Amino acid sequence: MGIPTIKNEKQYEALREKGYSKQKAARIANTPDAGVKGGHAKPYEQWTKADLYEQAKKVGINGRSKMTKAELIYALRHN
């Protein structure tokens, strides 16, 4: 497997400078619309488990298929 491509290099570098791990910075920088501000999303507690699962899939959280809704929320907020 090759080295993954960073979709938003500027955002990745900014996150690394803030102290984020390489893995977490890459996940955030590779998430579609991650750099777009808006603040219009509902809190994760109001999302369905299926929506949380899809978001976890987008950001590359491992083990998501076995997680409860609460575990998905925790993983999305802390990974």
Side-chain angles (χ1 to χ4, degrees), residues 34-47:
V36 178
K37 292 187 178 184
H40 301 293
K42 297 183 290 188
Y44 284 142
E45 288 78 10
Q46 294 178 12
W47 290 33

Side-chain angles (χ1 to χ4, degrees), residues 11-21:
Q11 183 182 34
Y12 172 81
E13 292 301 328
L15 292 167
R16 290 290 293 142
E17 287 176 15
K18 287 183 177 181
Y20 283 73
S21 71

Side-chain angles (χ1 to χ4, degrees), residues 21-63:
S21 71
K22 289 179 182 180
Q23 183 181 18
K24 186 170 184 178
R27 270 201 313 261
I28 293 169
N30 286 339
T31 300
D33 300 325
V36 178
K37 292 187 178 184
H40 301 293
K42 297 183 290 188
Y44 284 142
E45 288 78 10
Q46 294 178 12
W47 290 33
T48 66
K49 184 178 178 187
D51 289 337
L52 292 166
Y53 175 87
E54 288 303 314
Q55 183 65 17
K57 186 177 178 181
K58 284 181 189 176
V59 298
I61 294 174
N62 293 322

